[in-house]
């Protein structure tokens, strides 16, 4: 079974396809494979994100939705993927130091969360 991982390889296949209908079918298959790979990665990341969410809920304390918003906020302010922020947070109890930027943004996000609660 052929597995094209890059558009460059897919482009070569499409150029070699003899019939337009075959080219469309190959293009659709390649798009579905890329989408499938992205979904597999998203599912793998989900567990770590949910663990980080639970940690935030315990630390803040806050709802699951507020914990999600807080993690997204930290991710956006640090310009780091959410799954990477979550992985760093989950690894921190195991002796891995949170990167300074994530730590700083997490502190700020927690303060903002508590400020909203006080209103």
């Amino acid at each position: 079974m052929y597995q094209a991982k890059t558009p460059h390889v897919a482009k070569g296949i499409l150029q070699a396809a003899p019939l337009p209908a075959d080219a469309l079918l190959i293009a659709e298959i390649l798009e579905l494979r890329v989408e499938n790979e992205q979904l597999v990665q998203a599912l793998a990341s989900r567990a770590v994100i949910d663990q980080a969410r639970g940690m935030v809920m315990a630390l803040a304390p806050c709802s699951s939705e507020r914990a999600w918003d807080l993690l997204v906020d930290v991710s956006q302010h640090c310009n780091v993927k959410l799954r990477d922020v979550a992985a760093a947070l989950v690894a921190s109890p195991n002796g891995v130091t949170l990167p300074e930027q994530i730590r700083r943004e997490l502190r700020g996000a927690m303060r903002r969360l508590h400020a909203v609660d006080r209103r």
Side-chain angles (χ1 to χ4, degrees):
M1 177 184 269
Y2 177 77
Q3 293 184 354
K5 301 271 184 191
T6 65
H8 176 69
V9 173
K11 185 178 178 186
I13 292 169
L14 291 177
Q15 289 173 347
L19 301 173
D22 290 343
L24 291 174
L25 183 59
I26 290 171
E28 183 178 355
I29 289 169
L30 293 174
E31 285 176 23
L32 289 171
R33 286 184 179 166
V34 168
E35 183 179 350
N36 186 47
E37 288 175 18
Q38 291 170 344
L39 289 171
V40 167
Q41 185 175 6
L43 283 173
S45 300
R46 191 64 193 195
V48 172
I49 292 171
D50 285 343
Q51 289 174 349
R53 210 168 167 178
M55 291 174 73
V56 170
M57 290 169 63
L59 292 170
C62 63
S63 70
S64 178
E65 293 78 23
R66 306 261 323 254
W68 173 265
D69 292 341
L70 186 139
L71 289 170
V72 168
D73 187 45
V74 170
S75 170
Q76 290 175 344
H77 280 90
C78 293
N79 197 28
V80 174
K81 290 185 184 286
L82 178 61
R83 67 175 176 253
D84 295 336
V85 170
L89 186 59
V90 168
S92 64
N94 298 326
V96 178
T97 304
L98 272 175
E100 179 58 34
Q101 184 182 20
I102 292 176
R103 188 174 358 160
R104 187 176 50 248
E105 290 299 332
L106 184 60
R107 235 178 301 155
M110 291 277 207
R111 269 186 251 135
R112 289 188 295 278
L113 179 69
H114 289 299
V116 169
D117 287 343
R118 290 186 195 136
R119 293 182 195 166

